[in-house]
């Protein structure tokens, strides 16, 4: 059996020195890339090549490389996290590409996610949305009821869990023509809204998180649905509908 030939690829990569630099696409060639390589391993090979040539390697975010941390934010051939459904960039493999392909690699593009360098964007706006309400307060006086002792409908527990699988990657924002963060924020609201533990601060939570989301410069939702298609965790648009209901209910019943 003959050994499978590696891929020879042309890469068009966004290079930007810092947040002030205008940035531009640069063209690179990589040769003999194994189809078993992950996309980030291919980027590592490119960087080793650039370093050997005395050039600056491409800056990109990554940490877990197994679809958990949400940091590998790359826009590949016009899609957040590239081709393939319900995977992150680090879970994308080179077998999705053909020999001779040209691959366009860009950072997330959204006003609320400014580019720091090359493919690295500042996603701290998500942290500020989380700090505004992505938590519950628990009385730790010693009389606290064990969470597992509180009965929860299986359907609600499953939906809360599904919402909680959001990894905060920002692909929903990058895919949306309005750069809306509604899928992310609604997942974070829903994971608590469906559970009894989330009820105490429910009204403030949805109001505060939506307020910070708007202040951070994310756009409005116009029900295009691109976010759901590109989300690596399959977060459903149903969460946006739930957040809108929570928000409306909080607005008409809140003392604020
Ligand atoms: S909703 Fe999906 S696309 Fe958006 S941040 Fe969460 S995991 Fe990423
Ligand atoms: S590097 Fe952690 S999700 Fe891709």
């Amino acid at each position: 059996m003959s050994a499978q030939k590696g891929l020879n690829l042309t890469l068009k990569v966004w290079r930007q020195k810092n947040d002030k630099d205008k940035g531009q696409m640069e063209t690179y060639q990589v040769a003999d890339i194994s189809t078993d390589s992950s996309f980030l391993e291919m980027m590592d090979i490119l960087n080793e090549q650039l370093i050997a040539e005395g050039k600056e390697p491409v800056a990109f975010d990554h940490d877990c490389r197994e679809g958990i941390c949400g940091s590998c934010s790359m826009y590949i051939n016009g899609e957040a996290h590239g081709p393939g459904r319900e995977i992150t960039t680090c879970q994308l493999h080179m077998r999705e590409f053909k020999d001779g392909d040209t691959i366009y690699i860009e950072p997330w593009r959204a006003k609320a996610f400014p580019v720091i360098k090359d493919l690295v964007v500042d996603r701290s706006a998500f942290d500020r949305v989380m700090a505004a309400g992505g938590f519950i307060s628990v009385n730790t006086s010693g009389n606290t009821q064990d969470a597992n002792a509180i009965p929860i409908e299986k359907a609600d527990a499953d939906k809360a869990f599904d919402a909680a699988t959001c990894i905060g990657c920002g692909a929903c924002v990058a895919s949306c023509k309005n750069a809306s963060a509604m899928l992310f924020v609604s997942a974070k609201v829903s994971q608590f809204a469906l559970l009894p533990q989330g009820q105490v601060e429910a009204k403030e939570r949805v109001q505060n998180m939506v307020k910070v989301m708007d202040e951070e410069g994310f756009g409005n939702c116009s029900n295009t649905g691109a976010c759901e298609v590109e989300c690596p965790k399959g977060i459903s648009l149903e969460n946006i509908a739930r957040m809108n209901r929570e928000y409306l209910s909080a607005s008409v019943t809140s003392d604020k």
Side-chain angles (χ1 to χ4, degrees), residues 81 126 165-173 183-185 187-188 227 230-235:
H81 296 302
F126 270 11
T165 60
C166 164
I167 53 174
C169 66
C172 45
V173 175
L183 196 66
F184 164 75
V185 181
K188 299 304 176 188
C227 55
E230 297 295 349
C231 172
K233 297 297 161 185
I235 300 294

Side-chain angles (χ1 to χ4, degrees), residues 112-113 123-135 166 168 173 179-189 191-192 204-218 243:
F113 289 162
R123 285 175 302 147
S124 59
F126 270 11
D127 298 337
R128 292 186 284 278
V129 171
M130 287 303 282
F135 53 84
C166 164
V173 175
S180 168
M182 289 282 273
L183 196 66
F184 164 75
V185 181
S186 68
K188 299 304 176 188
V189 165
Q191 67 185 4
F192 297 121
E204 296 83 46
R205 175 178 304 111
V206 68
Q207 287 180 315
N208 292 343
M209 291 180 88
V210 168
K211 181 168 173 282
V212 175
M213 174 182 81
D214 290 342
E215 287 168 357
E216 292 290 343
F218 294 106
M243 181 170 83

Side-chain angles (χ1 to χ4, degrees), residues 13-15 38-48 50 57-63 65 71-74 89-90 105-107 117-121 123:
V13 185
W14 185 258
R15 302 304 308 262
S38 73
F39 198 85
L40 296 190
E41 283 166 344
M42 186 277 294
M43 292 299 291
D44 292 339
I45 292 167
L46 168 66
N47 277 346
E48 280 166 15
L50 290 174
V58 178
F60 63 90
D61 264 333
H62 59 101
D63 187 4
R65 295 201 177 203
S71 63
C72 53
S73 46
M74 286 188 203
T89 299
C90 60
I105 309 166
E106 297 170 80
K117 184 173 180 170
D118 297 337
L119 305 173
V120 179
V121 300
R123 285 175 302 147

